[in-house]
């Protein structure tokens, strides 16, 4: 299975992307499901109930930073950092 998470900040022209690849399995243990539900910080965009949680045993994790056109990250004011 592959799972990707991205973040883009259009105001500061920066962000990041992380990709996790590995073997997936259904997380069905009651304690695990309760912990996952309690820690979930978003809801499915499509709405409705989702009864399946997956756990990934990663075999590869990659990522990259997205920076502004000058190739430099920006500070809180949007100015390139040194």
């Amino acid at each position: 299975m592959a799972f990707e998470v991205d973040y883009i900040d259009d105001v500061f022209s920066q962000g990041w992307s992380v990709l996790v690849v590995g073997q997936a399995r259904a997380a069905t243990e009651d304690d695990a499901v309760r912990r996952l539900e309690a820690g979930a910080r978003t809801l499915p965009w499509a709405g409705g109930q989702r009864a399946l949680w997956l756990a990934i045993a990663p075999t590869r994790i990659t990522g990259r930073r997205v920076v502004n056109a000058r190739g430099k990250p920006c500070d809180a004011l949007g100015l390139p950092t040194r």
Side-chain angles (χ1 to χ4, degrees):
M1 165 178 260
F3 182 78
E4 184 173 355
V5 179
D6 303 312
Y7 173 77
I8 296 294
D9 184 331
D10 289 326
V11 173
F12 296 122
S13 300
Q14 59 189 8
W16 49 261
S17 178
V18 175
L19 176 67
V20 176
V21 177
Q23 189 71 32
R25 68 168 182 82
T28 57
E29 305 81 17
D30 290 340
D31 289 342
V33 170
R34 276 193 292 278
R35 190 174 64 251
L36 290 165
E37 287 175 346
R41 299 184 349 171
T42 61
L43 297 173
W45 289 359
Q49 292 287 28
R50 300 294 189 270
L52 178 63
W53 289 93
L54 296 175
I56 302 173
T59 57
R60 184 176 63 188
I61 301 173
T62 58
R64 68 183 187 111
R65 258 178 109 172
V66 178
V67 295
N68 62 32
R70 291 180 290 260
K72 298 183 185 253
C74 297
D75 64 14
L77 299 175
L79 302 172
T81 58
R82 296 176 195 214

